[in-house]
Amino acid sequence: MVGFIVSKYDYKYVKPLLLYRMTSYKKSKEEFSRDVYKAFQSIGVTSDMIHWRRNCFLLDGTVYTTGLKLLGFSHNIFIVGSQVEGSTTIGMRSDTDHLFLHDNVQVVLKLGAWQAGKNNLLAFQDETTPPQFYKLCILQPTPDGRQECMRGQVNDSYVVEQGRVLCSHRIVDKIVNDVFKGMGSDRVVKHGPSISNSDEYDFVCALPCNDLPEECESFFTRSRPGHWPKSETLEYARQCPVFFIPQGHPHSLFNELQWRVSTSLTERKLIFNFSEEQMLVFVLLKMLRKEYCKPKFGDDFSTFHIKTAMMFTIESHPQEIWRIDNIVECASYCIDILIQYAQDNVFPHFTMSGVNLFDGKLSEPDIKELETFLINLNKNIVEYISNLEMDSFGLKVLLGVHDEESKLTHEMEIRMMIRAEVRSALCDMVKMIYFQIITMHVVKAECSLSDHITYLAGLQSNGERWQREAADLFLPFLYGTLASINASHCITTNLPVTQDIIDLYKPSLECDLMSGKLKYASMLYCSGQFEQAADMLIHCEGLLGPDVVHDCQCQQKYNFQSDTCFRKYLYTSIVELLKTSSTSCVWFSEHELQCVPKHLRCEMYRTQTQNDKNKRNVLYAWMDMVVIDCVTFLYYLQYLVYRQKGNLPMRLLAMFNLMDYANKLVNTEVHKRRAHCVMVEYLIKEASFHTDTTFHVLAHCWELENRPDVAWQLYQVSMNTYRTNNIALVHLIRLFIKYFL
């Protein structure tokens, strides 16, 4: 990585000199604001990057939703919060907030508003529910076609109160915990309504309600200056559903029965309408909160407080103040509002009336301490900004120059991280589709894939923008899988692969840079079409280059070759990047086995012993399929094809290329044990993908070259590196019986 990098040494010695420079001549707030703007440009917080972030994460959520629909789930996923807003930086280390919407459940506010075909819940308040909180009563149909509150005894996921069956948080907690445990995650942490198994993602289950609760109506009817939010924004916001999420008031005795109303989509829409200058003020305030407030108050004074105060500031202050040379002053206006709320001990919600955001968060002494801190922050805001260490922001402000190289470095890193997010969403969903079809009979699997393709083709033609783009990403994978299943049937029955199947393969060639093409080449080899296979493999080899990102979603890894890879990301759309600049592992299910070289099919049977099974969890379900790294597969197929063609020089070149690639995947360490005794240890590099399979196909090449001794060594390296779930043990036994017994 290149760019303007600041170390702790720089902060210790360089920054005091810059601070002295600042005190030796006073900059006006206008000049300082321009330097703040330059610093934001240097860390990649630009208008273009904010919009790019939003587009990518909107696509990310749609990819998850589309995948779940294909799998038969009635869920929608919305990404909310900092990542999709674009209100974050690399140094802020924001997680990604996923809102899981249960589409087969409908919350209603009136008994007569229930919807047919859905599980209806009636939201109501009583003397135990504070503002913004409701209880949910389960509705059941009556013989005369109405719905009424369910009554009677139920399981421990529900609670009976005054004869009515109420939905508690336990049902959501149980479902989400079971999902995480099924995925092999022992670390499940709950923060309020969110459940997470990592520091990168938060998951919140939500129940939709299409009617506006009374406390939300005031947002659309209250008087305001009128310049923001605009009337069209308010009209759009009125169409957004509200959500009921499993969170009760922290001081309530009936916590697990209370569900909090959330207006996440309305708030997201409002932030999407911030101007560039307003976004920069918002991000600046979030940086100040995280670096200076969070150590004192934790998340009790949260980003949501900043977001709410920011909205009130934009609404109440004239539009013309939001200028680049007025960023610091606008931040002060927002802090003034925060101070006023602290003095009043009341922090109003922007989209709901009667809600105090201090309630259940900060005690009166804490609020008083917050007020004192905010007054000091506002009085010395220039000094606080100058001392921000996050993203080296303060130092960049003090330098007061636009650092184009640093800007490019940050933008490329941001784009790479977000590309990985979207690729991960796509591959996760494709994997789940694979896991589903391998449990089906081959005929049912073909029907299921055909149905998926029909559904996606409909989205591609008639869907909204993100649905069309999601369909564009899914379709090539599914076409390739269906084509491979059909071709496998032809090869099994000694029938030629028909033109209809070839036509199915054609759209699959665009799933990414290489994996679809390699799958097609494998079918050509297995069906004896060696010339065509050789041509496709030559084409694939020509696609390899330093600007290609290699992904492995089985092991959640990716790598890139050089800085040119990053620079390409500055000028390419996310969908084009995924299709033309990255490649993933090649997957084959058991329904496609006849399109896989015979030796490689053994990888499907790596789980042999009970110990192997004990070491596996749902995350390792890919082990029930043939999965191989694309570069490994390219060279291995070339070796097999040129061997069949009798082309000795090209055959050996392919094998040597495979050897060179295998050598790059491992580091060797030699340990001296005692006199005349050493041990060679092979360490897999962090970004290596399916290295055991690479060694196995390389060993097979040496077997075909009549060098079982070399093959034996390669299988041993694999076995010593991967002790369980490794087919190398079977290969070693086979070699011993065949050559050494």
Side-chain angles (χ1 to χ4, degrees):
M1 296 290 292
V2 295
F4 184 80
I5 306 298
V6 179
S7 66
K8 290 183 179 179
Y9 181 89
D10 295 323
Y11 267 108
K12 186 176 180 180
Y13 295 102
V14 177
K15 192 170 182 181
L17 297 176
L18 292 168
L19 286 171
Y20 174 76
R21 172 185 158 209
M22 284 292 293
T23 56
S24 63
Y25 67 95
K26 291 290 184 180
K27 284 191 175 185
S28 67
K29 275 193 176 181
E30 289 78 7
E31 292 174 306
F32 190 76
S33 291
R34 292 190 187 97
D35 289 341
V36 169
Y37 176 76
K38 293 173 186 176
F40 273 126
Q41 295 287 301
S42 294
I43 64 171
V45 183
T46 66
S47 179
D48 286 344
M49 283 303 302
I50 288 169
H51 284 96
W52 197 83
R53 272 184 179 274
R54 290 174 181 175
N55 290 338
C56 291
F57 279 103
L58 288 171
L59 174 60
D60 191 38
T62 308
V63 166
Y64 274 120
T65 297
T66 304
L68 290 174
K69 299 293 184 189
L70 294 174
L71 292 164
F73 292 99
S74 55
H75 290 70
N76 290 310
I77 295 183
F78 297 101
I79 296 180
V80 296
S82 300
Q83 294 288 5
V84 72
E85 293 166 359
S87 62
T88 187
T89 69
I90 293 175
M92 212 178 292
R93 302 184 183 279
S94 301
D95 56 14
T96 305
D97 299 318
H98 295 78
L99 199 65
F100 282 75
L101 178 64
H102 291 256
D103 207 23
N104 62 341
V105 177
Q106 181 66 34
V107 177
V108 296
L109 302 179
K110 297 178 181 178
L111 196 56
W114 60 272
Q115 293 188 16
K118 294 197 174 186
N119 297 312
N120 292 277
L121 302 172
L122 176 66
F124 68 94
Q125 292 180 306
D126 58 23
E127 65 279 0
T128 68
T129 51
Q132 197 187 1
F133 294 91
Y134 285 75
K135 294 178 180 179
L136 301 180
C137 172
I138 301 174
L139 297 181
Q140 63 181 4
T142 63
D144 58 357
R146 296 180 300 104
Q147 293 228 347
E148 64 181 13
C149 291
M150 181 184 289
R151 299 179 181 275
Q153 299 297 320
V154 290
N155 61 40
D156 62 358
S157 294
Y158 303 92
V159 173
V160 177
E161 183 182 85
Q162 297 180 359
R164 296 174 297 187
V165 179
L166 305 185
C167 189
S168 77
H169 302 169
R170 278 177 281 177
I171 186 169
V172 172
D173 293 345
K174 184 178 185 302
I175 292 171
V176 177
N177 275 286
D178 287 346
V179 170
F180 281 131
K181 287 178 182 177
M183 294 171 62
S185 177
D186 295 325
R187 181 184 171 234
V188 180
V189 181
K190 188 168 183 179
H191 298 285
S194 69
I195 297 178
S196 177
N197 64 340
S198 75
D199 296 329
E200 299 176 1
Y201 304 100
D202 272 342
F203 304 89
V204 177
C205 290
L207 307 178
C209 178
N210 292 327
D211 298 323
L212 280 179
E214 185 178 347
E215 54 261 58
C216 296
E217 286 286 353
S218 62
F219 169 63
F220 299 99
T221 58
R222 71 169 183 251
S223 60
R224 50 171 59 93
H227 63 275
W228 190 89
K230 296 178 180 178
S231 57
E232 56 267 28
T233 303
L234 287 172
E235 186 59 34
Y236 178 92
R238 185 178 278 278
Q239 307 305 316
C240 294
V242 298
F243 303 117
F244 286 80
I245 61 177
Q247 182 184 33
H249 192 282
H251 298 157
S252 174
L253 297 176
F254 307 93
N255 187 290
E256 70 170 17
L257 291 180
Q258 295 173 357
W259 296 70
R260 181 169 64 83
V261 176
S262 169
T263 55
S264 299
L265 292 189
T266 300
E267 294 152 16
R268 189 178 77 175
K269 180 61 179 177
L270 292 172
I271 291 176
F272 282 0
N273 277 268
F274 282 11
S275 68
E276 179 185 9
E277 296 80 8
Q278 290 162 352
M279 282 299 298
L280 296 183
V281 173
F282 182 33
V283 176
L284 178 62
L285 290 168
K286 288 178 66 174
M287 295 172 78
L288 291 169
R289 185 207 76 86
K290 186 154 191 176
E291 191 150 318
Y292 300 120
C293 294
K294 189 168 183 177
K296 297 175 179 290
F297 305 102
D299 287 328
D300 290 334
F301 180 69
S302 68
T303 297
F304 190 74
H305 290 98
I306 299 293
K307 181 188 299 185
T308 303
M310 187 70 195
M311 290 179 182
F312 276 117
T313 306
I314 296 172
E315 184 183 64
S316 59
H317 288 68
Q319 197 165 1
E320 56 268 20
I321 70 168
W322 302 96
R323 306 185 309 273
I324 295 300
D325 63 355
N326 207 34
I327 289 175
V328 176
E329 194 65 35
C330 288
S332 290
Y333 295 151
C334 191
I335 296 172
D336 283 337
I337 284 182
L338 289 169
I339 293 170
Q340 184 61 54
Y341 293 158
Q343 290 172 345
D344 295 342
N345 273 359
V346 175
F347 199 125
H349 197 293
F350 189 72
T351 59
M352 279 184 269
S353 62
V355 177
N356 181 3
L357 296 179
F358 282 145
D359 191 19
K361 296 288 186 179
L362 296 171
S363 64
E364 286 194 23
D366 290 334
I367 296 172
K368 190 64 180 176
E369 184 182 352
L370 175 63
E371 177 193 341
T372 302
F373 171 80
L374 291 172
I375 291 171
N376 185 54
L377 170 63
N378 218 12
K379 182 180 178 181
N380 302 288
I381 189 168
V382 169
E383 182 180 347
Y384 274 98
I385 294 172
S386 301
N387 281 284
L388 275 170
E389 296 191 10
M390 186 185 302
D391 297 292
S392 306
F393 191 80
L395 191 53
K396 291 178 187 295
V397 172
L398 293 176
L399 286 169
V401 294
H402 175 58
D403 189 346
E404 184 65 25
E405 190 173 9
S406 175
K407 174 177 179 282
L408 292 176
T409 299
H410 278 81
E411 285 192 3
M412 288 186 290
E413 187 171 349
I414 291 166
R415 288 174 186 263
M416 178 64 86
M417 290 189 299
I418 295 174
R419 183 215 68 89
E421 289 262 5
V422 180
R423 164 64 82 178
S424 177
L426 176 63
C427 290
D428 284 348
M429 292 295 99
V430 171
K431 278 194 297 185
M432 291 180 70
I433 292 169
Y434 265 90
F435 299 159
Q436 187 183 69
I437 66 172
I438 63 176
T439 64
M440 301 176 180
H441 184 271
V442 62
V443 175
K444 188 175 180 181
E446 288 177 340
C447 292
S448 178
L449 287 169
S450 296
D451 290 343
H452 293 344
I453 289 170
T454 301
Y455 172 75
L456 291 170
L459 289 183
Q460 204 173 38
S461 301
N462 305 312
E464 298 178 353
R465 174 188 172 183
W466 312 118
Q467 291 175 320
R468 293 196 303 270
E469 291 191 359
D472 285 343
L473 292 174
F474 274 106
L475 274 170
F477 285 98
L478 302 186
Y479 272 120
T481 305
L482 181 58
S484 193
I485 292 174
N486 290 339
S488 187
H489 177 72
C490 291
I491 296 170
T492 301
T493 54
N494 293 317
L495 294 173
V497 177
T498 65
Q499 186 59 45
D500 288 344
I501 296 175
I502 301 298
D503 291 340
L504 274 179
Y505 270 114
K506 287 179 181 177
S508 77
L509 304 183
E510 298 180 2
C511 61
D512 58 25
L513 190 65
M514 284 178 59
S515 65
K517 299 175 180 67
L518 289 172
K519 204 164 191 176
Y520 178 54
S522 183
M523 181 278 294
L524 292 173
Y525 165 75
C526 292
S527 61
Q529 303 178 67
F530 304 124
E531 287 292 341
Q532 296 93 321
D535 291 342
M536 178 56 71
L537 293 170
I538 290 171
H539 175 62
C540 288
E541 189 171 17
L543 296 174
L544 287 176
D547 59 346
V548 178
V549 180
H550 299 275
D551 286 290
C552 176
Q553 291 304 320
C554 312
Q555 300 166 354
Q556 300 295 312
K557 297 177 182 178
Y558 68 91
N559 65 18
F560 52 89
Q561 302 295 313
S562 71
D563 189 56
T564 61
C565 171
F566 277 115
R567 294 192 178 273
K568 186 172 183 178
Y569 275 50
L570 293 174
Y571 313 106
T572 312
S573 73
I574 186 69
V575 174
E576 187 179 350
L577 282 174
L578 294 175
K579 286 192 171 187
T580 65
S581 299
S582 61
T583 191
S584 56
C585 303
V586 187
W587 291 47
F588 294 94
S589 69
E590 64 176 316
H591 302 318
E592 308 166 73
L593 276 188
Q594 296 303 315
C595 294
V596 183
K598 288 183 180 179
H599 187 82
L600 187 57
R601 296 174 199 171
C602 299
E603 297 298 312
M604 184 175 288
Y605 309 106
R606 63 176 70 228
T607 302
Q608 294 283 325
T609 67
Q610 186 60 46
N611 187 41
D612 288 340
K613 293 177 183 178
N614 294 340
K615 294 293 183 180
R616 283 184 50 171
N617 57 41
V618 173
L619 289 176
Y620 296 138
W622 59 267
M623 290 183 175
D624 292 328
M625 292 176 283
V626 174
V627 186
I628 185 169
D629 168 53
C630 62
V631 179
T632 298
F633 200 28
L634 167 65
Y635 294 139
Y636 180 53
L637 280 176
Q638 282 185 327
Y639 174 84
L640 295 176
V641 168
Y642 289 125
R643 184 172 183 273
Q644 288 292 333
K645 287 168 59 67
N647 190 331
L648 178 62
M650 294 300 291
R651 180 184 94 201
L652 294 179
L653 177 61
M655 188 173 77
F656 292 146
N657 284 337
L658 182 55
M659 288 173 60
D660 289 341
Y661 184 68
N663 287 334
K664 292 176 183 177
L665 301 181
V666 295
N667 293 319
T668 57
E669 290 187 4
V670 179
H671 304 281
K672 187 173 182 180
R673 293 300 190 193
R674 53 183 181 274
H676 310 297
C677 179
V678 298
M679 183 186 76
V680 179
E681 184 178 9
Y682 295 89
L683 304 173
I684 303 302
K685 292 181 180 177
E686 185 176 349
S688 299
F689 310 143
H690 303 289
T691 308
D692 52 343
T693 305
T694 298
F695 276 95
H696 300 166
V697 297
L698 179 58
H700 183 230
C701 294
W702 281 108
E703 284 188 64
L704 295 175
E705 294 296 321
N706 201 28
R707 288 295 306 273
D709 54 327
V710 179
W712 179 273
Q713 293 177 30
L714 290 167
Y715 288 131
Q716 277 194 321
V717 169
S718 174
M719 198 65 222
N720 291 337
T721 307
Y722 298 95
R723 300 286 184 177
T724 59
N725 292 291
N726 193 341
I727 198 64
L729 178 61
V730 175
H731 288 310
L732 286 169
I733 295 171
R734 176 179 55 80
L735 278 184
F736 182 77
I737 294 172
K738 184 175 180 180
Y739 293 102
F740 306 119
L741 191 62

